[in-house]
């Protein structure tokens, strides 16, 4: 919280499951607070010492993500503090290197093992799996080109076999009602 740009950048990375380059390419115009969405349609890279905005990683990476209400409010508050922000201005005018240093700083201060920035995306996907969302829905949200990429998390998807057997047992035990 001592560095708002870092805090809000990590909030976006975790709660939306976006990639680093997608985060760094976000402009104020990408946020639609009435609909509660953020549009992902570009990526930021540093090439030969120059800032370069490119197409996203894959065609499916072009997407609109519904943000949770608390994040909408946080980003609104953050943007309101950025003096003279235009719709075409980058919201997170920082670099990947900056994010990596901030991750190290935060992990050191918290006394926890440092994770990669991309692991926030993995954590978002794992949370959605735990919440019961389908692989198809998750793939759409995070911009996986193929659902097979999402199935790399297959070990996290709960097995429904026990639940199926329990429901079948309960169905069998329930007395049938004869309709006359």
């Amino acid at each position: 919280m001592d560095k708002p740009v870092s805090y809000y950048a990590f909030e976006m990375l975790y709660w939306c499951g976006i990639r680093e380059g997608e985060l760094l390419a976000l402009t104020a115009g990408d946020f639609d607070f009435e609909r509660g969405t953020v549009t992902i349609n570009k990526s930021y890279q540093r090439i030969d010492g120059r800032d370069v905005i490119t197409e996203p990683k894959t065609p499916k990476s072009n997407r609109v993500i519904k943000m949770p209400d608390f994040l909408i409010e946080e980003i609104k508050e953050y943007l309101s503090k950025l003096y003279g922000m235009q719709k075409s201005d980058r919201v997170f005018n920082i670099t990947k290197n900056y994010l990596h240093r901030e991750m190290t700083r935060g992990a050191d201060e918290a006394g926890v093992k440092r994770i990669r920035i991309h692991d926030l995306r993995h954590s978002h996907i794992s949370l959605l799996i735990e919440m019961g969302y389908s692989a198809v829905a998750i793939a759409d949200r995070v911009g996986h080109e193929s659902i097979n990429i999402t199935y790399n998390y297959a070990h996290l998807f709960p097995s429904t076999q026990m639940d199926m057997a329990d429901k079948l047992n309960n169905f069998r035990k329930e007395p049938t009602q004869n309709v006359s």
Side-chain angles (χ1 to χ4, degrees):
M1 290 296 291
D2 62 329
K3 292 186 180 179
V5 68
S6 302
Y7 176 78
Y8 295 116
F10 287 120
E11 285 282 272
M12 285 296 299
L13 287 165
Y14 179 75
W15 293 109
C16 293
I18 60 179
R19 298 173 179 96
E20 283 177 84
E22 294 169 345
L23 169 86
L24 298 176
L26 288 176
T27 62
D30 291 327
F31 292 92
D32 183 336
F33 294 120
E34 286 184 24
R35 288 191 175 95
T37 61
V38 60
T39 298
I40 306 297
N41 59 9
K42 55 195 165 295
S43 187
Y44 166 90
Q45 297 179 50
R46 190 109 173 121
I47 301 174
D48 296 326
R50 296 180 322 136
D51 293 343
V52 179
I53 303 296
T54 62
E55 293 291 314
K57 184 176 179 182
T58 68
K60 289 254 180 151
S61 295
N62 284 295
R63 61 203 187 278
V64 176
I65 298 171
K66 180 77 171 132
M67 297 172 16
D69 292 342
F70 67 85
L71 186 60
I72 294 166
E73 293 308 314
E74 288 180 354
I75 298 300
K76 268 198 228 180
E77 178 186 337
Y78 173 64
L79 290 177
S80 74
K81 294 177 182 179
L82 299 178
Y83 179 75
M85 175 65 63
Q86 302 296 310
K87 286 200 174 278
S88 61
D89 292 342
R90 283 180 47 219
V91 173
F92 299 101
N93 200 9
I94 55 179
T95 64
K96 289 181 181 182
N97 190 40
Y98 174 87
L99 285 173
H100 291 261
R101 285 193 319 268
E102 285 297 281
M103 179 63 84
T104 299
R105 182 178 75 90
D108 288 348
E109 285 183 15
V112 297
K113 181 183 175 212
R114 185 197 187 283
I115 61 172
R116 298 173 305 151
I117 303 295
H118 194 73
D119 291 334
L120 294 171
R121 179 173 164 84
H122 294 305
S123 295
H124 180 71
I125 294 167
S126 298
L127 176 62
L128 295 177
I129 291 168
E130 178 67 26
M131 294 174 96
Y133 290 100
S134 72
V136 172
I138 294 168
D140 285 344
R141 182 174 178 85
V142 300
H144 283 161
E145 188 63 22
S146 163
I147 193 167
N148 292 332
I149 297 167
T150 308
Y151 279 129
N152 287 335
Y153 297 86
H155 63 286
L156 297 176
F157 282 94
S159 171
T160 56
Q161 291 296 320
M162 184 62 79
D163 186 51
M164 286 179 192
D166 289 344
K167 285 184 178 173
L168 290 170
N169 282 330
N170 291 335
F171 181 80
R172 172 76 171 174
K173 288 178 188 175
E174 292 176 10
T176 57
Q177 296 177 355
N178 294 329
V179 178
S180 306

